[in-house]
Amino acid sequence: MSITLTAIILGILEGLTEFLPVSSTGHLILATELFGYDAAQWAQFNIVIQLGAIMAVVVSYFRTFWTMGMGLLKWEPTSVRFVRNILVAFMPAAIIGLAVKDTIDMMLESPTVVAWALVIGGIAMLGLEKTVRPGEDSGVAAVPLSKAIGIGFMQCLAMIPGTSRSGATILGALAMGVGRKTAAEFSFFLAVPTMLGAATVKILAEPDKLLSGGGLIGWDHIAIGFVSAFIVALVVIRAFVAYVSRYGFAPFAWYRILLGGAALAWLAMR
């Protein structure tokens, strides 16, 4: 398979899965294993194309970001609460992520960890769907501070590859009585500082890999993956919010269980 086609496939995969509760990192790790890619060679590529997905959030919710930003300058209560909630939810991952960075990097090399996390996360998702009644959708700014902090700690579970950052934050929010739409949007907004921070740490830790274009992987391939992730994520974000607001998360849970089970079987037979 050509490097250009690989870049397109990984970009599409990132855009499809980043904001769904199915783990984009897990999918990229399994794809690397399935197609025999050099995981180390594509590591920086995978980090950069995540920023394409993040740009999709900024574009999709540009009006919200603009309104909240302008409101913050005027110290309007709604804008202050919105920014406060996102920042306090971001802090646990920022602190814990730096503390256990080496352990996280080690787990990123294990497709078996990803497969088990997919299965266990899917089962947990089904359990929450049956036992938790979502609250009203009153918006991110209306989420109480204590719940915002709790969502932030739930996001830390996604440091285990295959868990899903969006899945952990959304289900954590639902368990605390937040409405489905608000939970999904909180996860999207929280992704911006979280993924920007993670990408910055990774790039600064290994700048030579990025500057060299990952060896055979050039800047043109990185650009192709970035744009592919951006375009696909742009479509997925709106469709996902509309879908889960009406139907919930059970289909994603079953998908996780089936994919994780298939991955475990395949890994055992190799």
Side-chain angles (χ1 to χ4, degrees):
M1 188 184 299
S2 72
I3 294 178
T4 298
L5 182 57
T6 300
I8 293 172
I9 291 173
L10 292 180
I12 291 173
L13 192 59
E14 166 64 25
L16 276 173
T17 59
E18 181 58 54
F19 300 107
L20 301 182
V22 296
S23 180
S24 62
T25 301
H27 277 73
L28 292 174
I29 290 172
L30 290 178
T32 298
E33 192 74 14
L34 180 63
F35 294 110
Y37 303 150
D38 183 338
Q41 186 181 60
W42 287 90
Q44 292 285 36
F45 172 90
N46 290 342
I47 288 293
V48 175
I49 64 173
Q50 286 182 333
L51 300 180
I54 284 301
M55 184 178 288
V57 174
V58 176
V59 170
S60 294
Y61 289 96
F62 178 78
R63 191 170 293 178
T64 299
F65 282 114
W66 178 265
T67 300
M68 294 302 165
M70 292 297 100
L72 184 63
L73 293 176
K74 300 174 184 177
W75 211 248
E76 294 177 351
T78 299
S79 298
V80 171
R81 288 195 300 269
F82 178 93
V83 174
R84 177 206 67 187
N85 282 350
I86 298 303
L87 287 179
V88 299
F90 164 67
M91 291 310 297
I95 296 170
I96 296 173
L98 288 173
V100 299
K101 179 181 177 299
D102 292 341
T103 302
I104 296 170
D105 289 341
M106 192 164 50
M107 287 191 294
L108 287 172
E109 299 176 3
S110 174
T112 303
V113 170
V114 170
W116 276 112
L118 285 168
V119 173
I120 294 169
I123 294 171
M125 197 178 294
L126 285 176
L128 282 172
E129 272 285 273
K130 291 182 178 180
T131 59
V132 172
R133 176 174 292 182
E136 294 183 4
D137 283 306
S138 50
V140 172
V143 174
L145 179 60
S146 59
K147 292 183 179 181
I149 295 172
I151 292 170
F153 277 103
M154 288 298 298
Q155 180 176 236
C156 294
L157 293 175
M159 292 175 189
I160 302 171
T163 301
S164 172
R165 189 205 59 78
S166 62
T169 53
I170 290 171
L171 293 175
L174 291 178
M176 287 180 263
V178 177
R180 283 197 180 103
K181 183 174 183 291
T182 299
E185 292 186 341
F186 198 121
S187 175
F188 296 160
F189 297 140
L190 181 56
V192 177
T194 300
M195 292 173 62
L196 281 175
T200 300
V201 169
K202 185 71 174 177
I203 291 169
L204 290 178
E206 301 174 308
D208 293 343
K209 288 187 178 181
L210 181 65
L211 294 174
S212 66
L216 295 175
I217 306 165
W219 285 104
D220 53 340
H221 303 116
I222 292 174
I224 288 170
F226 183 97
V227 173
S228 299
F230 168 74
I231 293 172
V232 175
L234 205 60
V235 175
V236 168
I237 287 170
R238 292 298 184 184
F240 176 63
V241 172
Y243 182 87
V244 298
S245 296
R246 295 187 61 186
Y247 302 110
F249 297 91
F252 302 103
W254 284 113
Y255 171 78
R256 288 177 63 104
I257 293 169
L258 291 173
L259 176 62
L264 286 171
W266 174 69
L267 290 167
M269 291 187 296
R270 285 194 312 163

